[in-house]
Amino acid sequence: MRLTKIVFMKPYVMDVWALLAGVCLTFAFAPWQIAFCAIIAPAVLLLTWMSASAKRSTWRGLLFGLGFFGSSVSWVYISIHTFGETPVTLAIFITALFLLILSLYTALQGYLFNRFFPRGRYKTYLLGFPALWVIIEALRGWLFSGFPWLFIGYSQLATPLKGFAPIFGIYGVSFIVVFTAASCVLLLKHMIDKPYRLVLGVLLIWGMGAILNTITWTTISEDKLSVALVQGNIAQSLKWDPEQFEQTLKTYQDLTAKQWDKDLIVWPEAAIPMPYRYVKDYLEQLEANAKQHNSTVVLGLPFVADQNGQTTAYNGVLAVGNGQGRYYKERLVPFGEYLPLEHWLRGLINFFDLPMSDFKAGPKLQAPMHAGSLILAPYICYEIIYPDLVLGDFPLANVLITINDDTWFGRSIAGAQHLAMAQMRAIETGRYLLFVSNDGPTAIVDPHGNIIAKAPRYQRTVLTGEIASVTGATPLMWWGNKAIILILLLLLLSSVRRKRLQR
């Protein structure tokens, strides 16, 4: 037994455990959604940090990040190689560089934890470790336009902890998850007096989450609205082919023809792969049909505007028929929708010339979009994973709509992850969510984050169902995510102060 413990504590063995813990965390998210992996992974990482130097903790944080991001978001390779037509070697290099950059966040977390926080104090592990974890997640979601993908709280969609989301948001849920993991470590290491108090505290928190999960914070109208979500399943290789353009328009026209009895019909992102000005006649006919049937069609297409002698393109959403409004995407995907350092990179490889890679970001304040009496909150692609961006549209809006085209990532786990994160926005805002993708996932989500209808993936189909208009505010809308982050920062400062006093 002692020999086993000695081997386990070897530095290189602990390094491997940090790497495997990162891989383990991936299984906490969709499509697997094994929630307890989100407890195990940070607990193991904390164990590898507790007896390590700042330098070694930085290294283990990097390994943890490589294990996690390498197993969870390496699907970016598909868009770079398959659709960007980048040679295999170069595509692997770009993907590896992307994963390394993401892993630097957990490396920074390891360094800060062991450099500035006192060891051996249970409050450091119970409060400082979870607070630092969430602050690093928030930093990753903000710095350099942000990549807020797979915050650890997203793993709790099927557990009682999701009951805290309408109050404390994704950051609060993430904190409780890591707090639970740290509690397990303290109990395992016998680092706390009267451990039953900690056990009771954790059970109380989880039990409170279960109670909160039964509360509906917003007001749901009794009047139901019928919806149809059109999943065109247009192959990415054909979508941007000019010879296939007419067939694409006909596909959506035919799929919609049998749905005119629905109150709201939604097409996916760039369903019409041609700027508004070139398909105006088609859209006018579509609007006439929608008005005739007292229906609203919401669809994605590019917009082009001439300003000061320059042409500006936007990735947009348009409502026609018994509704009105247009929305220009605010948060663009680097390289996919705009090219950083364009003057130097444009034309170097095909990946830097992807279709729709020269868009401009839409303004922060845009007029609301309407569908009959509904006020819609439309988002394009991964905008839905930005908590503050979504929260800014509420409590005014009644329904969440996200249109996507996850075809760029092939038959990977990206789409399932995307939908799961969107479900958290439905919980935080207490609204119905319509999630519409070109080849799936396409789903209807209720205000508690439950999927009430879902279309089969990789099929040309229409998902139908009912939703309701929702009004009112969740507690999170009153104080916002910034207040939660401020509280966590104060916890961090308190822990750092203890370090100075200890010295």
Side-chain angles (χ1 to χ4, degrees):
M1 184 71 177
R2 180 175 176 81
L3 178 62
T4 303
K5 184 176 181 180
I6 292 174
V7 172
F8 176 83
M9 297 300 290
K10 289 283 187 180
Y12 67 88
V13 176
M14 299 290 277
D15 294 346
V16 173
W17 278 112
L19 178 68
L20 293 177
V23 176
C24 174
L25 183 57
T26 295
F27 292 94
F29 302 97
W32 301 282
Q33 212 75 46
I34 307 174
F36 69 83
C37 287
I39 308 296
I40 295 173
V44 171
L45 182 63
L46 178 57
L47 284 169
T48 69
W49 281 352
M50 290 173 70
S51 60
S53 64
K55 182 178 179 180
R56 197 78 184 195
S57 295
T58 304
W59 169 242
R60 288 172 182 168
L62 182 69
L63 289 173
F64 179 89
L66 290 173
F68 175 49
F69 295 112
S71 58
S72 63
V73 299
S74 57
W75 37 255
V76 297
Y77 170 83
I78 299 173
S79 61
I80 296 171
H81 170 63
T82 305
F83 300 113
E85 299 180 354
T86 305
V88 172
T89 304
L90 183 57
I92 292 174
F93 172 77
I94 295 174
T95 302
L97 180 61
F98 174 67
L99 299 176
L100 176 62
I101 292 172
L102 292 178
S103 301
L104 291 177
Y105 287 100
T106 47
L108 174 64
Q109 182 180 346
Y111 172 78
L112 293 176
F113 182 75
N114 272 282
R115 177 67 178 82
F116 295 103
F117 293 82
R119 299 190 187 191
R121 296 178 64 94
Y122 73 90
K123 289 183 179 179
T124 295
Y125 302 125
L126 276 183
L127 301 178
F129 177 65
L132 180 61
W133 185 293
V134 179
I135 292 299
I136 292 297
E137 283 189 337
L139 182 67
R140 171 163 62 87
W142 168 78
L143 196 62
F144 305 125
S145 82
F147 187 69
W149 198 269
L150 296 187
F151 291 167
I152 199 167
Y154 289 120
S155 63
Q156 304 303 302
L157 288 172
T159 77
L161 293 189
K162 77 172 186 176
F164 289 100
I167 305 174
F168 303 118
I170 182 62
Y171 298 122
V173 177
S174 289
F175 179 86
I176 297 173
V177 172
V178 185
F179 173 86
T180 303
S183 299
C184 293
V185 171
L186 292 183
L187 293 171
L188 180 67
K189 299 284 285 185
H190 306 288
M191 293 182 61
I192 188 168
D193 295 331
K194 299 179 179 179
Y196 68 88
R197 292 183 178 180
L198 181 58
V199 174
L200 290 176
V202 172
L203 292 176
L204 179 63
I205 292 172
W206 280 70
M208 188 179 301
I211 295 172
L212 292 173
N213 199 35
T214 64
I215 299 175
T216 301
W217 299 97
T218 50
T219 302
I220 303 174
S221 173
E222 294 182 0
D223 298 329
K224 296 297 183 180
L225 300 167
S226 56
V227 298
L229 312 184
V230 181
Q231 184 173 289
N233 197 36
I234 308 294
Q236 202 62 244
S237 58
L238 301 176
K239 184 172 182 176
W240 303 100
D241 185 346
E243 296 182 0
Q244 295 294 322
F245 176 66
E246 294 295 335
Q247 182 59 42
T248 296
L249 294 184
K250 186 176 185 302
T251 295
Y252 283 102
Q253 187 175 12
D254 292 345
L255 290 172
T256 304
K258 297 180 181 179
Q259 308 300 328
W260 286 124
D261 59 328
K262 304 300 187 298
D263 297 305
L264 178 60
I265 302 169
V266 186
W267 297 1
E269 177 186 7
I272 300 180
M274 186 70 72
Y276 174 86
R277 62 171 63 171
Y278 301 112
V279 288
K280 195 172 182 180
D281 292 342
Y282 177 85
L283 292 173
E284 287 177 350
Q285 182 60 51
L286 182 68
E287 180 168 30
N289 289 335
K291 284 184 175 179
Q292 179 183 351
H293 295 89
N294 200 33
S295 180
T296 301
V297 179
V298 174
L299 56 91
L301 80 167
F303 289 88
V304 175
D306 296 320
Q307 300 174 346
N308 301 322
Q310 294 184 338
T311 300
T312 303
Y314 300 98
N315 191 359
V317 184
L318 179 69
V320 298
N322 188 32
Q324 61 179 349
R326 64 177 61 180
Y327 169 74
Y328 297 151
K329 188 177 183 183
E330 295 181 39
R331 292 296 185 105
L332 301 178
V333 180
F335 303 101
E337 293 177 312
Y338 79 96
L339 188 61
L341 306 175
E342 182 175 8
H343 181 72
W344 290 277
L345 297 180
R346 181 71 71 185
L348 284 180
I349 57 176
N350 289 337
F351 177 63
F352 295 149
D353 293 306
L354 287 171
M356 302 171 65
S357 64
D358 58 352
F359 284 131
K360 301 298 180 184
K364 293 187 179 299
L365 296 177
Q366 301 186 45
M369 179 176 290
H370 295 265
S373 61
L374 285 180
I375 299 177
L376 309 178
Y379 307 98
I380 302 176
C381 192
Y382 86 151
E383 281 188 311
I384 193 68
I385 69 174
Y386 286 89
D388 291 323
L389 175 66
V390 174
L391 210 58
D393 289 322
F394 294 91
L396 179 64
N398 309 122
V399 177
L400 288 158
I401 292 182
T402 297
I403 61 172
N404 320 285
D405 188 1
D406 288 331
T407 316
W408 289 106
F409 307 111
R411 300 196 173 207
S412 69
I413 60 177
Q417 294 173 346
H418 194 180
L419 174 57
M421 290 182 285
Q423 288 174 248
M424 186 62 74
R425 298 291 88 79
I427 301 171
E428 291 172 342
T429 60
R431 261 64 173 180
Y432 280 91
L433 163 71
L434 303 179
F435 191 91
V436 190
S437 300
N438 175 30
D439 68 346
T442 294
I444 302 173
V445 180
D446 73 12
H448 290 283
N450 303 309
I451 297 176
I452 56 179
K454 188 176 181 181
R457 293 205 67 178
Y458 316 117
Q459 294 183 24
R460 185 166 296 172
T461 186
V462 178
L463 177 67
T464 60
E466 291 185 333
I467 63 171
S469 176
V470 181
T471 56
T474 61
L476 179 65
M477 294 178 192
W478 294 109
W479 43 72
N481 287 305
K482 290 183 176 61
I484 307 301
I485 294 297
L486 177 60
I487 293 172
L488 295 177
L489 284 172
L490 292 175
L491 286 176
L492 285 183
L493 292 175
S494 174
S495 297
V496 172
R497 182 173 178 271
R498 290 196 188 96
K499 176 76 170 183
R500 293 181 63 184
L501 289 175
Q502 189 182 54
R503 288 178 177 176

